[in-house]
Amino acid sequence: HEQMIVPFAPFMWAWPGGRPKNAPLGGALYSQDFTAGLVSATPMILGGVVFSYKYSTCEGRYCRRDPLTNDDMAFAYMQTGAFGNMMQA
């Protein structure tokens, strides 16, 4: 069916564990410890978010197919859902 469903997991993202020197926005999105990272990660993890990728041939107005390849798996529609429910984002 050329479809891949991936659950969101803590190891697929980078969470800040401190404030880097010269952080953007004056470091407003960081903390001195792991607090800011945990605050960002918690709703994403507890929400049970999944990503679905439906691969297909490159068609439509948003498609930018590489003329040097003939890869039918190079194009995909992406959808997200909560708790595995792909009918509701």
Side-chain angles (χ1 to χ4, degrees):
H1 295 282
E2 298 179 344
Q3 186 171 11
M4 178 174 69
I5 299 173
V6 181
F8 189 89
F11 54 81
M12 26 179 330
W13 207 268
W15 310 110
R19 183 176 294 144
K21 187 177 181 180
N22 299 321
L25 302 173
L29 302 176
Y30 297 91
S31 60
Q32 297 300 330
D33 54 15
F34 287 95
T35 306
L38 292 172
V39 167
S40 299
T42 300
M44 293 180 170
I45 296 167
L46 295 179
V49 176
V50 295
F51 296 99
S52 171
Y53 304 91
K54 173 68 174 148
Y55 293 93
S56 65
T57 56
C58 191
E59 301 173 350
R61 65 188 261 200
Y62 298 109
C63 180
R64 301 291 182 263
R65 188 173 187 128
D66 184 351
L68 301 176
T69 65
N70 192 18
D71 187 4
D72 286 339
M73 297 294 281
F75 179 79
Y77 288 99
M78 185 178 87
Q79 180 180 356
T80 63
F83 300 107
N85 183 355
M86 300 307 285
M87 302 298 290
Q88 194 173 25

